[in-house]
């Protein structure tokens, strides 16, 4: 089992597969062997006797490298999955409703995280069946396993990326003109994917914002015509916006739209 861990770390350093894909696949590799670690124990420190009868301690390279990789896992989750689009849309929705603290940041993050797991579940399953499971069964080398397991993530990101963004970053990076059958390098796909996700999130947020903005304008106009200058329009329009959102079953519409907006 420790040989597998060493092969995993060597792959992270030497493999041609992108490091962020390795970060995404690392939890899938670690989950099936968690019980083995608990049973056998993983040596985190080594003790070396000194000449004067004392002892020195050092952290093993495997543990240090593993913890370093895990510390980068949140960034990989945010930048290479559907999380970015979802959290931006939910934040714009809260701003449109005029409820600055409701739902709270923790609730929005939880909703975005679990909806991301729901959307990415087919991708995780394909990655596990294609690369992780054969690697754990000693049917595939570490480099080949990472290459096979990264393909579902690559396809998912490519399906969400606009061709215009790919061309823009290809020109900036000096990649030249991309051929239709040529595989896009991950160093080019990642910034294009993030840019496309931001653009799509703000487009969806704009469409969500318009109905609530109309309610604010109507309420403000009525208050101005009545000469009620000192009364805040936001305080009057908030109940109407909440009523509209509840009557149209807004949360179901938002979650369903976000889930169906991705092509897995």
């Amino acid at each position: 089992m420790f040989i597998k861990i060493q092969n995993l770390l060597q792959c992270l350093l030497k493999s041609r597969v992108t490091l962020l894909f390795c970060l995404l696949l690392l939890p899938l590799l670690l989950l099936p062997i968690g019980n083995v670690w608990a049973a056998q124990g993983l040596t985190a420190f080594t003790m070396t006797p000194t000449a004067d009868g004392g002892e020195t301690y050092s952290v093993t390279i495997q543990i240090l490298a593993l913890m370093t990789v895990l510390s980068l896992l949140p960034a990989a989750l945010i930048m290479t999955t559907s999380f970015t689009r979802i959290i931006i849309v939910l934040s714009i929705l809260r701003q449109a409703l005029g409820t600055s603290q409701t739902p709270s940041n923790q609730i929005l993050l939880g909703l975005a995280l679990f909806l991301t797991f729901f959307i990415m579940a087919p991708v995780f399953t394909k990655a596990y069946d294609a690369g992780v499971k054969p690697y754990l069964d000693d049917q595939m080398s570490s480099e080949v396993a990472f290459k096979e397991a990264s393909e579902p993530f690559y396809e998912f990101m490519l399906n969400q990326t606009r061709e215009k963004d790919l061309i823009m970053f290809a020109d900036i990076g000096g990649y030249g003109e991309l051929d239709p059958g040529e595989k896009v390098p991950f160093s080019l796909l990642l910034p294009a994917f993030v840019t496309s996700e931001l653009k799509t999130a703000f487009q969806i947020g704009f469409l969500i914002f318009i109905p609530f903005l109309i309610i604010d304008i109507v309420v403000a106009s009525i208050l101005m015509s009545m000469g009620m200058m000192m009364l805040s329009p936001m305080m009057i329009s908030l109940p109407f916006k909440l009523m509209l959102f509840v009557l149209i079953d807004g949360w179901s519409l938002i979650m369903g739209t976000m889930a169906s907006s991705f092509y897995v």
Side-chain angles (χ1 to χ4, degrees):
M1 192 58 62
F2 293 105
I3 295 177
K4 285 181 175 291
I5 298 174
Q6 292 175 355
N7 293 335
L8 172 63
L9 296 173
Q10 292 175 359
C11 177
L12 290 176
L13 297 175
K14 299 180 180 179
S15 176
R16 297 180 180 178
V17 181
T18 306
L19 177 60
L20 286 179
F21 280 145
C22 297
L23 295 176
L24 285 172
L25 298 176
L26 182 60
L28 297 178
L29 289 172
L30 296 180
L31 286 177
I33 61 176
N35 293 332
V36 178
W37 283 4
Q40 297 180 354
L42 186 62
T43 304
F45 298 93
T46 57
M47 182 184 65
T48 304
T50 59
D52 58 356
E55 297 173 346
T56 59
Y57 300 89
S58 62
V59 181
T60 59
I61 290 297
Q62 291 84 358
I63 291 295
L64 183 61
L66 182 62
M67 296 305 297
T68 301
V69 170
L70 289 178
S71 66
L72 299 175
L73 185 60
L77 174 64
I78 293 174
M79 291 291 101
T80 59
T81 62
S82 58
F83 183 85
T84 301
R85 183 191 303 185
I86 297 171
I87 193 61
I88 291 177
V89 171
L90 293 179
S91 299
I92 294 177
L93 172 63
R94 184 175 64 177
Q95 186 69 24
L97 286 172
T99 55
S100 58
Q101 298 297 329
T102 305
S104 63
N105 292 332
Q106 291 83 354
I107 294 178
L108 290 186
L109 288 173
L111 287 174
L113 185 62
F114 285 107
L115 188 58
T116 298
F117 288 154
F118 173 77
I119 294 171
M120 299 296 295
V123 179
F124 291 147
T125 302
K126 291 179 182 178
Y128 181 82
D129 294 337
V132 179
K133 190 175 185 299
Y135 172 73
L136 295 177
D137 295 338
D138 293 328
Q139 300 175 358
M140 191 178 295
S141 64
S142 57
E143 292 188 4
V144 176
F146 274 113
K147 182 178 179 180
E148 293 296 327
S150 64
E151 286 300 322
F153 291 94
Y154 180 89
E155 294 177 1
F156 170 81
M157 296 174 63
L158 189 61
N159 289 335
Q160 317 306 320
T161 305
R162 290 179 169 84
E163 183 179 357
K164 180 179 179 181
D165 295 327
L166 283 174
I167 296 175
M168 179 188 68
F169 282 101
D171 293 338
I172 295 175
Y175 289 90
E177 185 176 355
L178 298 175
D179 297 331
E182 182 182 1
K183 188 172 183 178
V184 180
F186 185 77
S187 58
L188 173 61
L189 178 60
L190 179 58
F193 169 75
V194 175
T195 304
S196 297
E197 285 296 283
L198 290 174
K199 188 181 300 182
T200 303
F202 277 93
Q203 288 177 348
I204 298 175
F206 171 78
L207 296 178
I208 293 174
F209 211 106
I210 291 300
F212 301 106
L213 180 61
I214 293 175
I215 294 177
D216 287 333
I217 294 175
V218 171
V219 171
S221 300
I222 294 175
L223 293 179
M224 288 287 291
S225 64
M226 297 176 62
M228 304 175 68
M229 303 290 189
M230 304 302 294
L231 186 60
S232 174
M234 293 294 296
M235 184 176 63
I236 304 300
S237 63
L238 178 59
F240 292 99
K241 291 190 289 186
L242 292 177
M243 180 181 65
L244 173 66
F245 193 69
V246 171
L247 289 177
I248 64 173
D249 198 10
W251 285 115
S252 296
L253 290 177
I254 293 294
M255 294 301 177
T257 301
M258 292 302 303
S260 60
S261 66
F262 290 92
Y263 302 94
V264 179

